[in-house]
Amino acid sequence: MSLARTDEQRLLAENLRRFLAEENQFEHHRQRLNAIPPQRLALWPGLVDMGVIGAAFDEGSGGFAGDARSIAVVMFELGRALAIEPFLGSAIVAGRVLLHLTDAAEREQQVAAMIGGERISVLAHDAGFDPFAKPLLKAVRSGAGYSLKGRVRGVRHADVADDFLVSAQIDDGDVAIFRVARSAIDSASHRLMDGAGAADLAFDGFVCSDDARLKLSEPAMAVISDALEWGLFGLTAEAAGLIEAANEATFRYLGERKQFGVMIGSFQALQHRAADMYMAAQEVTAIVNLAIDALADGVSPRRSVLLSAAKVLADTAGRRVGHDAIQMHGGMGVSDELNVSHFGRRLATIRAEFGSADLHRQRFGCDQDLSDILALQDSDEARAWRDEVREFTRKHLPEAIGRKGALGLEINKEDYVGWQKVLYQHDWFAGAWPQEHGGQGWDLRKQLIFAQESTLNNAPMIRPYGVSMVGPVIYSYGSDAQKRDHLPGILSNDVWWCQGYSEPGAGSDLAAIKTTAELDGDHYVVNGAKMWTTEAHWADWMHCLVRTDKSGKPQSGITFLLIDMKTPGIEIKPIVTIDGLHHTNALFLDNVRVPVGNRVGAEGQGWGIAKFLLGNERISIADTGPKLRLLRHVKALHARAMASADVPDALKTLMSTRLADLSIQLMTLCALERQYIEAWADGAKFGAEASILKVRGTEILQAITELGLELEGPLAAAFDPEDLHRSPFEHFDEIRQASLMGLEYLYGRCWSIFGGTNEIQRNIIAKQVLGI
């Protein structure tokens, strides 16, 4: 994988990867980390000669790039190769400080020396647990200079630096940055977990002249914050490279190592761990891409919180991958002689740099407008479409339905039909359909924005069984008669559909279906049972998988039928789910006669058609719009709890941190969804991405509902299904509001089961990443 987008960035990545593969072989890497400082920099001259240091600076500053993506490309490759070099600390962080020098000649000279490898400067900034706070070091006026008092702890790469850019508080509480030569001060060197060198710098009345104080174009703390945020970004990109390399090593090992006579990669427990590691890597990549857009947006609060989110995710994913990679390598995983332990050590070191994950969860906070952050990735056209969908929904959504959506009340069939007929009247209902079949030909990007913005503004999700599932099947595989008979009713919402897939013995394993269809003249006689048939009690028709052949492979004997629900022999029995509602059903078919003309495609073609149908669910698989709306509701509960004197302060802090973390997870899910949509829209093949969105989407949903319940406090257990049927114009007291949160929690347990359990989805992911 590469973060490169342009030909120049791809060439940079390829050349750097080739250089590091040759010059940073693992044994050389180990020896260098145990060497004296000059040998620690064995890679640095090569990076200088290649011009890599110049990637951190634009052409006007003497470099060749200076943009976030080029910097991310370099950091990703350095991470993959375990190159413990001072590019981040010097070129990115200290380099950002130097770019703020007011003297143009000095700025040009200092940057040129850095790019040319003549000087390594490192920012020495110690603010305790919060790097964005003012430095602990004090600077007191002393004659024509400043006397520095205190120490700066844990300065990374202090052993190879030529000088330090030292931050200190001056007399009036302001902050200044001083250039101090390494040879001029006392330092106590020590090693870091990843093998890099560091030092504590001791300033016991050390005097700096006025000339040593950097003259900056902005206040020193603003310059430091900018440099640290670029550092956060660089760390995240490096973590992405480390995680990819650790995953590659682990997945390869799972396919080679045998135990009890079989590859350990065949053990499902390890497959599921591998799936989680892969999902973590995908999330980090998504957040890096989002952070690139944020940095292009300029210095802003939105940029700051997003880069904190990136650090949280890098630390979280790094912990999972670093620990699991070591664990799954067994005894070799904890050996210094295997690179996987070094990946784990570097990922652990990253967690200590630029503030902890919990600090950045608090920095991210609970009040972020995620839709505003995600709009960073919108083109002008997409932004205009988002605005249009938002305004359309606010204008045309019936008030009662909107209030139901806002409160979380049950949406009944009449509500769905009412809203979908409004959409149909404005030619928006089947927007994804081709125009020749009555649609608008929306691409995947427009479909995603419509799904997000309409539901964010309290509209119900469009019911998929007709318009998103069987409709595309009919216009893609159906006969002219089937198109003529069924497409108009789907479009107008006068005909309601359900899906007959799952069976008592074939839930996620659809190839195991046993419902049979035997040919009798010009009819099929269908016998069997379908389970968990959502909205069958509302349906006029069902699209159904049946078995027409038992002789070959299970998948090859499946056929796709359209069944009129009024046909004699169909019995529907309601299933009340955990939330006390009737969503789904058991369906029994006893000698149900279905005309051969209702078969879509040929006999035995049903498996391929079913896969095509499921592919059309890609847009809604993550359901990010409803999740963003639910999070907004939970934030309101959180605000109420924060204002309450009954909630202990320690609990408020804990709940706030959890809410920030869930906000970051959901934001990352949205970014990952966008990344996949963009790839699919550009023609990428459909792989395990939908499984990733299903797993992470349902896990995040369930976690949000759990926090929502806890924020209800003593009323967390309140639940009465009758509350879900109340008029949206009634007054809902605290008990009834808590009851509605109970619905979200209880029904949320279903999401990780239906549509293919999360365990099955992890199997699918593991099959792709392990090649098994």
Side-chain angles (χ1 to χ4, degrees):
M1 193 274 286
S2 173
L3 294 169
R5 291 291 182 272
T6 66
D7 289 341
E8 290 80 5
Q9 291 162 359
R10 293 186 188 94
L11 184 62
L12 173 63
E14 290 167 7
N15 289 340
L16 183 53
R17 186 172 295 196
R18 189 181 304 114
F19 168 79
L20 292 169
E22 294 172 356
E23 302 296 329
N24 196 45
Q25 295 179 27
F26 182 61
E27 280 307 312
H28 296 163
H29 167 83
R30 288 180 68 210
Q31 293 169 14
R32 204 160 44 247
L33 293 183
N34 293 316
I36 59 177
Q39 291 172 277
R40 289 179 187 272
L41 284 173
L43 294 178
W44 199 249
L47 295 175
V48 171
D49 290 343
M50 290 176 65
V52 170
I53 315 305
F57 303 93
D58 62 21
E59 292 183 5
S61 303
F64 68 88
D67 62 290
R69 189 165 294 280
S70 295
I71 290 171
V73 165
V74 172
M75 289 306 304
F76 181 87
E77 295 301 332
L78 293 175
R80 281 189 88 260
L82 272 172
I84 308 299
E85 300 293 317
F87 181 82
L88 174 66
S90 183
I92 297 179
V93 178
R96 292 298 299 182
V97 174
L98 296 178
L99 289 175
H100 287 280
L101 292 173
T102 55
D103 187 310
E106 182 185 7
R107 182 173 65 245
E108 181 178 341
Q109 178 187 10
Q110 297 296 334
V111 171
M114 185 175 285
I115 293 174
E118 300 164 16
R119 177 179 291 127
I120 294 175
S121 299
V122 175
L123 177 65
H125 173 70
D126 182 358
F129 279 73
D130 182 0
F132 291 90
K134 288 184 177 182
L136 303 177
L137 189 70
K138 305 294 185 183
V140 180
R141 256 299 176 189
S142 176
Y146 290 88
S147 175
L148 304 184
K149 299 181 182 295
R151 65 190 180 113
V152 181
R153 299 164 295 179
V155 180
R156 182 175 175 82
H157 296 307
D159 57 335
V160 296
D162 296 297
D163 57 34
F164 303 107
L165 309 181
V166 181
S167 66
Q169 285 194 61
I170 55 181
D171 295 337
D172 58 1
D174 202 356
V175 173
I177 301 175
F178 300 90
R179 183 187 297 280
V180 178
R182 176 163 60 100
S183 59
I185 56 171
D186 293 329
S187 62
S189 297
H190 60 88
R191 298 286 297 279
L192 299 177
M193 197 177 292
D194 61 1
D200 286 3
L201 310 182
F203 297 91
D204 186 14
F206 179 88
V207 177
C208 286
S209 68
D210 265 343
D211 290 341
R213 180 178 176 179
L214 301 188
K215 297 173 179 60
L216 302 169
S217 59
E218 295 182 47
M221 274 311 300
V223 171
I224 291 169
S225 294
D226 176 64
L228 292 177
E229 286 184 355
W230 278 90
L232 288 176
F233 170 69
L235 274 185
T236 306
E238 182 187 1
L242 286 157
I243 287 168
E244 180 180 272
N247 278 350
E248 286 178 357
T250 304
F251 300 160
R252 184 169 55 249
Y253 183 78
L254 292 177
E256 295 171 351
R257 170 71 169 160
K258 288 188 175 181
Q259 194 169 7
F260 307 113
V262 297
M263 290 189 306
I264 62 174
S266 65
F267 302 149
Q268 190 176 70
L270 299 189
Q271 291 177 10
H272 286 191
R273 276 193 163 185
D276 287 337
M277 292 168 71
Y278 183 73
M279 286 189 284
Q282 293 285 293
E283 289 181 312
V284 171
T285 302
I287 205 73
V288 170
N289 281 317
L290 191 57
I292 288 170
D293 293 321
L295 285 162
D297 195 42
V299 177
S300 68
R302 179 166 64 178
R303 179 187 108 164
S304 296
V305 297
L306 204 153
L307 291 170
S308 278
K311 180 60 160 67
V312 170
L313 201 69
D315 287 1
T316 304
R319 178 180 286 106
R320 173 179 287 281
V321 171
H323 291 182
D324 280 3
I326 291 170
Q327 180 70 26
M328 289 199 283
H329 276 82
M332 291 301 295
V334 293
S335 167
D336 183 66
E337 298 178 5
L338 203 67
N339 61 5
V340 69
S341 69
H342 290 253
F343 289 128
R345 285 162 55 178
R346 176 57 189 147
L347 287 166
T349 307
I350 284 175
R351 294 198 290 275
E353 295 183 59
F354 299 102
S356 69
D358 278 338
L359 170 84
H360 285 285
R361 288 183 181 99
Q362 293 181 352
R363 191 167 181 253
F364 184 87
C366 304
D367 301 322
Q368 307 307 322
D369 183 347
L370 298 190
S371 58
D372 176 60
I373 292 175
L374 293 169
L376 276 168
Q377 296 185 310
D378 283 345
S379 63
D380 291 342
E381 181 182 2
R383 195 169 293 111
W385 173 240
R386 190 178 294 277
D387 292 341
E388 185 178 353
V389 174
R390 185 184 305 120
E391 292 308 311
F392 176 93
T393 306
R394 291 173 178 174
K395 180 178 179 181
H396 295 287
L397 179 66
E399 183 184 6
I401 299 175
R403 287 180 65 86
K404 282 187 174 184
L407 289 166
L409 299 177
E410 184 188 20
I411 305 295
N412 58 39
K413 181 180 179 180
E414 290 71 25
D415 296 326
Y416 285 118
V417 171
W419 171 234
Q420 291 174 186
K421 279 187 173 292
V422 169
L423 294 173
Y424 172 64
Q425 289 162 6
H426 291 83
D427 295 325
W428 278 26
F429 175 57
W433 285 21
Q435 291 183 350
E436 62 265 31
H437 297 303
Q440 295 297 311
W442 292 349
D443 63 15
L444 292 175
R445 299 176 181 92
K446 292 191 77 169
Q447 293 174 50
L448 173 63
I449 289 173
F450 172 79
Q452 280 186 339
E453 284 299 327
S454 60
T455 52
L456 259 174
N457 286 277
N458 301 322
M461 288 287 288
I462 290 177
R463 305 313 296 156
Y465 305 108
V467 68
S468 299
M469 294 182 176
V470 75
V473 165
I474 291 172
Y475 66 64
S476 298
Y477 292 90
S479 65
D480 289 341
Q482 288 168 347
K483 295 173 188 176
R484 182 183 64 249
D485 293 344
H486 295 293
L487 295 184
I490 294 172
L491 282 171
S492 66
N493 280 278
D494 292 323
V495 179
W496 204 261
W497 288 77
C498 65
Q499 174 177 266
Y501 275 23
S502 296
E503 297 185 1
S508 298
D509 182 13
L510 283 179
I513 65 168
K514 292 182 170 58
T515 296
T516 61
E518 297 182 0
L519 194 59
D520 180 20
D522 58 357
H523 283 72
Y524 286 102
V525 179
V526 181
N527 285 281
K530 295 292 179 181
M531 283 290 289
W532 315 115
T533 312
T534 302
E535 297 170 8
H537 54 300
W538 291 350
D540 304 295
W541 282 77
M542 172 173 62
H543 53 95
C544 186
L545 293 181
V546 297
R547 182 162 300 285
T548 50
D549 186 0
K550 302 178 183 177
S551 61
K553 292 176 61 176
Q555 292 90 338
S556 63
I558 295 174
T559 297
F560 196 99
L561 294 182
L562 310 177
I563 300 178
D564 187 336
M565 294 293 283
K566 297 187 294 295
T567 308
I570 297 177
E571 181 184 6
I572 300 172
K573 290 189 176 180
I575 297 175
V576 175
T577 47
I578 188 172
D579 57 354
L581 297 181
H582 174 202
H583 306 279
T584 190
N585 307 272
L587 199 68
F588 301 94
L589 301 105
D590 182 13
N591 292 322
V592 176
R593 297 184 66 83
V594 180
V596 172
N598 286 8
R599 183 189 69 215
V600 180
E603 275 196 11
Q605 199 177 358
W607 185 256
I609 293 175
K611 289 170 65 177
F612 167 83
L613 182 152
L614 293 173
N616 281 306
E617 289 188 272
R618 287 176 289 178
I619 292 299
S620 60
I621 196 71
D623 280 344
T624 49
K627 291 178 179 65
L628 288 165
R629 185 173 68 194
L630 176 62
L631 183 68
R632 184 171 61 198
H633 175 65
V634 171
K635 284 183 176 181
L637 296 178
H638 171 265
R640 185 183 69 186
M642 295 305 102
S644 172
D646 297 335
V647 182
D649 289 343
L651 186 56
K652 288 180 179 179
T653 300
L654 179 60
M655 287 178 166
S656 296
T657 303
R658 286 179 60 192
L659 180 55
D661 189 67
L662 287 172
S663 298
I664 292 168
Q665 290 188 50
L666 181 52
M667 181 184 70
T668 304
L669 176 69
C670 292
L672 189 60
E673 177 186 50
R674 174 71 72 89
Q675 182 172 294
Y676 291 158
I677 291 293
E678 294 288 341
W680 292 331
D682 291 337
K685 290 185 177 180
F686 185 46
E689 297 88 355
S691 294
I692 294 171
L693 294 177
K694 168 65 161 55
V695 172
R696 291 300 295 131
T698 55
E699 290 176 344
I700 292 167
L701 169 72
Q702 290 170 345
I704 293 172
T705 64
E706 289 169 18
L707 179 58
L709 274 191
E710 292 183 34
L711 287 166
E712 295 287 3
L715 299 178
F719 178 68
D720 183 347
E722 291 303 312
D723 291 333
L724 305 172
H725 304 285
R726 294 181 179 277
S727 165
F729 298 101
E730 284 187 39
H731 170 70
F732 283 76
D733 59 22
E734 287 187 348
I735 294 175
R736 291 195 173 95
Q737 289 181 39
S739 179
L740 298 180
M741 194 67 240
L743 163 73
E744 299 285 0
Y745 165 75
L746 290 171
Y747 194 62
R749 307 317 307 170
C750 304
W751 286 95
S752 55
I753 297 172
F754 60 55
T757 68
N758 281 11
E759 288 70 28
I760 293 296
Q761 304 301 334
R762 282 183 165 88
N763 289 349
I764 293 170
I765 298 166
K767 182 177 181 179
Q768 175 172 303
V769 301
L770 298 178
I772 55 177

